[in-house]
Amino acid sequence: MRIRRRVDLIARWSRRRDRFDFPIMTRTVFIDGQAGTTGLGIARRLAAEPGITLHTVPEAHRKSPAARQEAMRTSDLTILCLPDQAAIDATRLADDLGDEAPKLLDASTAHRTAPGWVYGFAELWPDQPGKIAGAARVANPGCYATAAIALLRPLTATGLLPPDHPLTLNGVSGYSGGGKAMIDAHDQAGGPAFELYALGLAHKHLPEIIAEAGLDRMPLFVPSVGHFARGMLLTIPLLLDFLPGRVSPSDLHDTLAGWYPATSQVRVVPPDPSGRLTADALAGQDIMELSVYANEQARLALLVARLDNLGKGASGAAVQNARLMLGLPA
């Protein structure tokens, strides 16, 4: 009788519980600069995330420091999708809140090598997700930097690639990463089929590439834009006879494959048997593929990274970092 009574009580409580709406703990995110390409991509992703509420500032007050600071105060995490100086100014607004300041995730270039900021590349080191989760300030990586660092850091860390080795980085990206003017030029006027840029050879991603890839020498980096909306390829040629030891293409592949877990968003894949790669094959996805192409007889190798410049290269990485910072499964 006692057991039956307990079962009846549990059943009655279950039916009664169904009639109530129990609050689910949610985290509030404010995107400062939501109107830009990266901000819109982050907002779309977060809007579909359970447990996350987006805080927005009315259009009329979007540039008001007071309104933005109040939005920061009421958020658990503020994501900065702003030009560099504006991101620095926004960080000061957050700092002025003292104990009420939210966690900050900066998608600009401003803090990627700044002291006190954790670099938001979750797959880079085994303990990196924990560092991101526990950080008050996280810098989201650049798209080209994500590709270059993913290829180079495992090789410098294991000694296959000396940190002072002369390197050339060549990249091509979809035009969606070039800002409103470039997007309009391609969408409305057709845009150029292909163009090189940053020919002063001082691209803004170089400082973080040098720092996070463990380099002692500045690489020669030549980026370009193609007439396709989303996608990216970055290639790094290596003359194997100029590396210490007798490094083989399989050494490079095995080192990369051993560095990144098979379940991560960074995947090491075999060379495409066609000998061809398209830059936009991963458009709309948040993964990155790494591969090693080689001519073993000539002792030549080509490291290749492929990703979506707005996915793992921007908004996708930001959402991954946001989830870690908010204590949600990433």
Side-chain angles (χ1 to χ4, degrees):
M1 288 293 295
R2 189 174 297 173
I3 294 175
R4 181 181 296 175
R5 176 173 172 78
R6 182 172 182 180
V7 170
D8 289 343
L9 286 171
I10 292 173
R12 284 206 309 250
W13 166 243
S14 297
R15 290 192 296 270
R16 185 180 304 168
R17 182 180 61 183
D18 291 340
R19 296 197 295 269
F20 293 92
D21 292 325
F22 286 85
I24 299 173
M25 186 176 68
T26 62
R27 283 80 164 178
T28 301
V29 176
F30 168 52
I31 303 174
D32 195 1
Q34 183 173 325
T37 304
T38 298
L40 288 171
I42 295 171
R44 281 194 294 268
R45 284 170 164 84
L46 291 182
E49 291 283 339
I52 292 179
T53 299
L54 289 177
H55 182 101
T56 58
V57 172
E59 179 67 24
H61 303 289
R62 185 167 57 87
K63 295 185 179 181
S64 164
R68 291 163 53 220
Q69 189 178 55
E70 178 60 19
M72 292 179 183
R73 188 186 67 79
T74 57
S75 72
D76 299 297
L77 172 68
T78 291
I79 303 176
L80 307 179
C81 297
L82 302 164
D84 286 4
Q85 186 56 54
I88 293 170
D89 295 340
T91 301
R92 294 195 186 105
L93 288 177
D95 289 341
D96 289 343
L97 291 170
D99 292 340
E100 293 185 299
K103 290 188 172 186
L104 291 183
L105 173 60
D106 185 9
S108 81
T109 313
H111 297 106
R112 290 175 184 164
T113 59
W117 289 73
V118 171
Y119 196 67
F121 191 163
E123 294 85 1
L124 192 56
W125 300 99
D127 62 348
Q128 201 69 9
K131 289 182 178 179
I132 294 168
R137 302 286 188 269
V138 174
N140 210 55
C143 52
Y144 280 121
T146 298
I149 294 164
L151 290 168
L152 294 172
R153 179 78 263 191
L155 305 183
T156 58
T158 56
L160 290 182
L161 182 71
D164 62 348
H165 189 76
L167 293 170
T168 299
L169 284 57
N170 300 283
V172 60
S173 172
Y175 62 78
S176 57
K180 188 176 185 299
M182 180 176 288
I183 293 172
D184 288 345
H186 280 266
D187 284 347
Q188 297 176 17
F194 181 88
E195 62 178 320
L196 297 176
Y197 72 102
L199 291 176
L201 306 183
H203 191 277
K204 64 180 182 178
H205 289 179
L206 278 168
E208 62 186 290
I209 291 173
I210 293 168
E212 298 298 332
L215 302 180
D216 292 341
R217 181 195 295 265
M218 179 174 169
L220 174 62
F221 176 33
V222 184
S224 61
V225 176
H227 186 52
F228 55 94
R230 298 175 63 162
M232 174 173 285
L233 284 171
L234 184 123
T235 62
I236 305 175
L238 293 176
L239 303 175
L240 297 179
D241 284 339
F242 288 86
L243 298 180
R246 186 73 180 172
V247 176
S248 68
S250 61
D251 292 332
L252 300 173
H253 178 275
D254 292 347
T255 298
L256 293 174
W259 195 267
Y260 301 106
T263 55
S264 79
Q265 292 184 6
V266 181
R267 303 174 184 179
V268 181
V269 298
D272 191 302
S274 71
R276 297 181 178 182
L277 283 178
T278 56
D280 59 352
L282 298 180
Q285 301 184 52
D286 290 338
I287 64 171
M288 174 167 54
E289 293 180 346
L290 309 180
S291 52
V292 179
Y293 290 77
N295 179 332
E296 297 203 43
Q297 184 176 0
R299 298 283 294 154
L300 302 174
L302 185 70
L303 310 178
V304 181
R306 179 163 63 174
L307 66 158
D308 180 353
N309 58 297
L310 295 185
K312 184 59 175 170
S315 302
V319 171
Q320 182 184 17
N321 287 323
R323 293 183 65 83
L324 287 168
M325 296 176 76
L326 293 170
L328 300 172

